[in-house]
Coordinates of all heavy atoms in Angstrom, one line a residue:
K37 N 12.9 -5.1 10.4 CA 12.4 -4.5 11.5 C 11.9 -3.1 11.0 O 10.8 -2.5 11.5 CB 13.5 -4.2 12.6 CG 13.8 -5.4 13.4 CD 14.8 -5.1 14.5 CE 15.3 -6.5 15.1 NZ 16.4 -6.4 16.0
E38 N 12.8 -2.4 10.2 CA 12.3 -1.1 9.6 C 11.1 -1.1 8.8 O 10.2 -0.2 9.0 CB 13.5 -0.4 9.0 CG 14.6 0.0 9.9 CD 15.8 0.6 9.1 OE1 15.7 0.8 7.9 OE2 16.8 0.9 9.8
I39 N 11.0 -2.1 8.1 CA 9.8 -2.3 7.2 C 8.6 -2.6 8.1 O 7.4 -2.1 7.9 CB 10.0 -3.5 6.2 CG1 10.9 -2.9 5.2 CG2 8.6 -3.9 5.6 CD1 11.4 -4.1 4.2
K40 N 8.6 -3.4 9.2 CA 7.5 -3.6 10.0 C 7.1 -2.3 10.8 O 5.9 -2.0 11.0 CB 7.8 -4.8 11.0 CG 7.9 -6.1 10.4 CD 8.1 -7.1 11.4 CE 8.2 -8.5 10.7 NZ 8.4 -9.6 11.6
I41 N 8.1 -1.5 11.1 CA 7.8 -0.2 11.7 C 7.1 0.7 10.7 O 6.1 1.5 11.1 CB 9.1 0.4 12.3 CG1 9.6 -0.3 13.5 CG2 8.9 2.0 12.7 CD1 11.0 0.1 14.0
L42 N 7.5 0.7 9.5 CA 6.9 1.4 8.4 C 5.3 1.1 8.4 O 4.5 2.0 8.4 CB 7.4 1.2 7.0 CG 6.8 1.8 5.9 CD1 6.8 3.2 5.7 CD2 7.1 1.0 4.6
Y43 N 5.1 -0.2 8.4 CA 3.7 -0.6 8.3 C 2.9 -0.2 9.6 O 1.8 0.1 9.6 CB 3.5 -2.2 8.1 CG 3.7 -2.4 6.6 CD1 4.9 -2.7 6.0 CD2 2.6 -2.5 5.7 CE1 5.0 -2.9 4.6 CE2 2.6 -2.6 4.4 CZ 3.9 -2.9 3.9 OH 4.0 -3.1 2.5
K44 N 3.6 -0.3 10.7 CA 2.9 0.1 11.9 C 2.5 1.6 11.9 O 1.4 1.9 12.3 CB 3.8 -0.2 13.1 CG 3.2 0.2 14.5 CD 4.1 0.0 15.7 CE 3.5 0.4 16.9 NZ 4.4 0.5 18.1
N45 N 3.5 2.4 11.5 CA 3.3 3.8 11.3 C 2.2 4.2 10.3 O 1.3 5.0 10.5 CB 4.6 4.6 11.1 CG 5.5 4.6 12.2 OD1 5.1 4.3 13.4 ND2 6.7 4.8 12.0
W46 N 2.3 3.4 9.3 CA 1.3 3.6 8.1 C -0.1 3.3 8.6 O -1.0 4.0 8.5 CB 1.7 2.7 7.0 CG 1.0 2.8 5.7 CD1 -0.1 3.7 5.4 CD2 1.2 2.2 4.4 NE1 -0.4 3.6 4.1 CE2 0.4 2.6 3.5 CE3 2.2 1.1 4.2 CZ2 0.4 2.1 2.1 CZ3 2.3 0.8 2.8 CH2 1.4 1.2 1.9
H47 N -0.2 2.1 9.3 CA -1.6 1.7 9.8 C -2.1 2.7 10.9 O -3.3 2.9 10.9 CB -1.5 0.3 10.4 CG -1.4 -0.8 9.4 ND1 -1.0 -2.1 9.6 CD2 -1.6 -0.7 8.0 CE1 -0.9 -2.7 8.5 NE2 -1.2 -1.9 7.5
N48 N -1.2 3.2 11.8 CA -1.6 4.2 12.8 C -2.1 5.4 12.1 O -3.0 6.1 12.5 CB -0.4 4.4 13.8 CG -0.2 3.3 14.6 OD1 -1.1 2.5 14.9 ND2 1.0 3.3 15.2
A49 N -1.5 5.8 11.0 CA -1.9 7.0 10.3 C -3.4 6.8 9.7 O -4.1 7.6 9.8 CB -0.9 7.4 9.2
V50 N -3.6 5.6 9.1 CA -4.9 5.3 8.6 C -5.9 5.3 9.8 O -6.9 6.0 9.7 CB -4.9 3.9 8.0 CG1 -6.4 3.5 7.6 CG2 -4.1 3.9 6.7
M51 N -5.6 4.7 10.9 CA -6.6 4.5 11.9 C -6.8 6.0 12.7 O -7.9 6.1 13.2 CB -6.1 3.6 13.0 CG -6.2 2.1 12.4 SD -5.9 0.8 13.6 CE -4.2 1.0 13.9
S52 N -5.9 6.9 12.6 CA -6.0 8.1 13.2 C -6.6 9.2 12.1 O -6.7 10.4 12.5 CB -4.8 8.6 13.8 OG -3.8 8.8 12.9
G53 N -6.7 8.8 10.8 CA -7.1 9.7 9.9 C -6.1 10.8 9.5 O -6.4 11.9 9.0
D54 N -4.8 10.4 9.6 CA -3.6 11.4 9.4 C -3.1 11.2 8.0 O -2.3 10.4 7.6 CB -2.5 11.1 10.4 CG -1.3 11.8 10.3 OD1 -1.3 12.8 9.5 OD2 -0.3 11.5 11.0
I55 N -3.6 12.1 7.1 CA -3.2 12.0 5.7 C -1.7 12.2 5.6 O -0.9 11.4 4.8 CB -4.0 13.0 4.8 CG1 -5.4 12.6 4.7 CG2 -3.4 13.1 3.4 CD1 -6.4 13.5 3.9
D56 N -1.1 13.1 6.3 CA 0.4 13.4 6.0 C 1.1 12.2 6.6 O 2.1 11.8 5.9 CB 0.8 14.7 7.0 CG 0.2 16.0 6.3 OD1 0.0 16.0 5.1 OD2 0.1 16.9 7.1
G57 N 0.7 11.6 7.7 CA 1.4 10.4 8.2 C 1.3 9.3 7.2 O 2.3 8.5 7.0
Y58 N 0.1 9.1 6.5 CA -0.1 8.1 5.5 C 0.8 8.4 4.3 O 1.7 7.5 3.9 CB -1.6 8.1 5.0 CG -1.9 7.0 4.1 CD1 -2.8 6.1 4.6 CD2 -1.5 6.9 2.8 CE1 -3.2 5.0 3.7 CE2 -1.9 5.9 2.0 CZ -2.7 4.9 2.5 OH -3.1 4.0 1.6
I59 N 0.9 9.6 3.8 CA 1.7 10.0 2.7 C 3.1 9.9 3.0 O 4.0 9.5 2.1 CB 1.4 11.4 2.3 CG1 0.0 11.6 1.7 CG2 2.4 12.0 1.2 CD1 -0.3 10.8 0.5
N60 N 3.5 10.0 4.3 CA 5.0 9.8 4.7 C 5.4 8.4 4.5 O 6.7 8.1 4.4 CB 5.2 10.2 6.1 CG 6.7 10.3 6.5 OD1 7.4 10.9 5.7 ND2 6.9 9.7 7.5
S61 N 4.5 7.5 4.3 CA 4.8 6.1 4.1 C 5.0 5.7 2.6 O 5.5 4.6 2.3 CB 3.7 5.2 4.7 OG 3.5 5.4 6.1
L62 N 4.8 6.7 1.7 CA 4.8 6.4 0.3 C 6.0 7.1 -0.4 O 6.3 8.2 0.0 CB 3.6 7.0 -0.3 CG 2.2 6.6 0.4 CD1 1.0 7.3 -0.3 CD2 2.0 5.1 0.4
D63 N 6.5 6.4 -1.4 CA 7.5 6.9 -2.3 C 6.8 7.9 -3.1 O 5.7 8.0 -3.4 CB 8.1 5.8 -3.1 CG 9.1 6.2 -4.1 OD1 10.3 6.3 -3.6 OD2 8.9 6.6 -5.2
H64 N 7.6 8.9 -3.5 CA 7.1 10.0 -4.3 C 6.4 9.5 -5.5 O 5.4 10.1 -6.0 CB 8.2 11.1 -4.7 CG 7.8 12.2 -5.4 ND1 7.1 13.3 -4.8 CD2 7.8 12.6 -6.6 CE1 6.8 14.2 -5.7 NE2 7.4 13.9 -6.9
N65 N 6.9 8.5 -6.1 CA 6.3 7.9 -7.4 C 5.4 6.8 -7.1 O 5.2 5.9 -7.9 CB 7.5 7.5 -8.3 CG 8.4 8.5 -8.7 OD1 7.9 9.6 -9.1 ND2 9.7 8.4 -8.5
I66 N 4.7 6.8 -6.0 CA 3.8 5.7 -5.7 C 2.8 5.5 -6.8 O 2.3 6.4 -7.5 CB 3.0 6.1 -4.3 CG1 2.0 4.9 -3.9 CG2 2.2 7.5 -4.6 CD1 2.7 3.8 -3.5
S67 N 2.4 4.2 -6.9 CA 1.3 3.7 -7.8 C 0.4 2.9 -6.9 O 0.8 1.9 -6.3 CB 1.8 2.8 -8.9 OG 2.5 3.6 -9.9
L68 N -0.8 3.3 -6.7 CA -1.9 2.6 -6.1 C -2.7 1.8 -7.2 O -3.2 2.4 -8.2 CB -2.9 3.6 -5.3 CG -4.3 2.9 -4.9 CD1 -4.0 1.9 -3.8 CD2 -5.1 4.0 -4.4
I69 N -2.7 0.5 -7.1 CA -3.4 -0.3 -7.9 C -4.6 -1.1 -7.3 O -4.3 -2.2 -6.8 CB -2.5 -1.3 -8.7 CG1 -1.2 -0.6 -9.3 CG2 -3.1 -2.2 -9.8 CD1 -0.1 -1.4 -9.9
P70 N -5.7 -0.4 -7.1 CA -6.8 -1.1 -6.5 C -7.4 -2.2 -7.4 O -7.3 -2.2 -8.6 CB -7.8 0.0 -6.2 CG -7.5 1.0 -7.2 CD -6.0 0.9 -7.6
P71 N -8.2 -3.3 -6.7 CA -8.7 -4.2 -7.5 C -9.8 -3.7 -8.5 O -10.1 -4.2 -9.5 CB -9.3 -5.2 -6.4 CG -9.2 -4.6 -5.2 CD -8.3 -3.4 -5.3

Side-chain angles (χ1 to χ4, degrees):
K37 288 178 187 174
E38 288 178 5
I39 289 169
K40 288 181 179 180
I41 290 169
L42 169 76
Y43 277 92
K44 180 181 178 192
N45 293 338
W46 191 354
H47 292 164
N48 285 339
V50 171
M51 292 188 289
S52 65
D54 177 8
I55 291 177
D56 290 331
Y58 189 113
I59 294 296
N60 190 48
S61 301
L62 308 177
D63 183 85
H64 183 72
N65 296 310
I66 181 71
S67 289
L68 166 66
I69 307 174

